[in-house]
Amino acid sequence: MNKVLVLNGVNLGRLGTREPSVYGSTSYPQLAASLVARGSALGLDVEVRQTDDEAEMIGWLHESADAGTPVVLNPAAWSHYSIALRDAVAQRTAPLIEVHISNVHTREEFRHHSVVSAVATGVIAGLGVDGYRLALEHLAHGFDAQSSEAAR
Ligand code: DQA
């Protein structure tokens, strides 16, 4: 099965109790389990991780770059200021989809800009936790296209 990493940044482990009017009521463990299940239905081996430690996140991005593993990344607050994270994402060797649960463009001004977006393959924002599922579907589609190309 094709591997995909779903990486979640700072504070996302608190989904479910954290500002539910903004981020919804799905807990982080529920989100992780649903993405693993959705991934396996799509033929993907999905591993979901979360950290509040920026250095750990950067290590995971290096790991994905070295292994050529596609990534779904919610960089959370780091999106808005971490050049270190952006530089790690820029090293990617496979597609990387940036996901935001909330529509950052309708919120405070400091959330309108993501330093990561310019080096991501694409961005999904404002579709709730459904954004992660859509990102997995896009990546699965890419793997399918690759295998039909190889079969030709
Ligand atoms: C977020 C939006 C960020 O502005 C915020 O700091 C987060 C979550 C989202 O998923 O909507 O932690 O990335």
Side-chain angles (χ1 to χ4, degrees):
M1 274 213 276
N2 292 306
K3 174 120 192 154
V4 171
L5 279 174
V6 179
L7 304 180
N8 289 286
V10 59
N11 289 310
L12 290 169
R14 299 186 53 79
L15 284 178
T17 51
R18 174 194 183 194
E19 298 181 85
S21 61
V22 178
Y23 298 110
S25 54
T26 306
S27 69
Y28 176 74
Q30 285 168 340
L31 173 66
S34 77
L35 295 178
V36 169
R38 184 66 197 138
S40 96
L42 290 165
L44 301 175
D45 172 15
V46 171
E47 189 181 336
V48 187
R49 303 182 191 170
Q50 190 276 329
T51 185
D52 292 335
D53 178 345
E54 190 179 356
E56 184 169 39
M57 175 63 83
I58 288 169
W60 291 345
L61 290 165
H62 293 168
E63 173 192 328
S64 70
D66 290 346
T69 308
V71 173
V72 177
L73 172 67
N74 186 340
W78 294 322
S79 321
H80 310 303
Y81 65 87
S82 174
I83 305 301
L85 196 79
R86 182 241 182 253
D87 287 351
V89 171
Q91 297 172 48
R92 67 180 177 76
T93 53
L96 179 144
I97 316 295
E98 178 182 354
V99 169
H100 297 283
I101 296 166
S102 65
N103 183 349
V104 283
H105 302 289
T106 61
R107 300 182 63 198
E108 302 94 326
E109 182 119 28
F110 64 84
R111 295 187 204 275
H112 295 184
H113 183 67
S114 162
V115 297
V116 172
S117 299
V119 289
T121 309
V123 182
I124 299 173
L127 303 182
V129 292
D130 215 25
Y132 291 89
R133 183 181 60 77
L134 293 167
L136 289 180
E137 281 170 14
H138 173 80
L139 293 173
H141 186 69
F143 281 124
D144 287 349
Q146 262 174 26
S147 34
S148 6
E149 190 73 14
R152 251 188 251 145

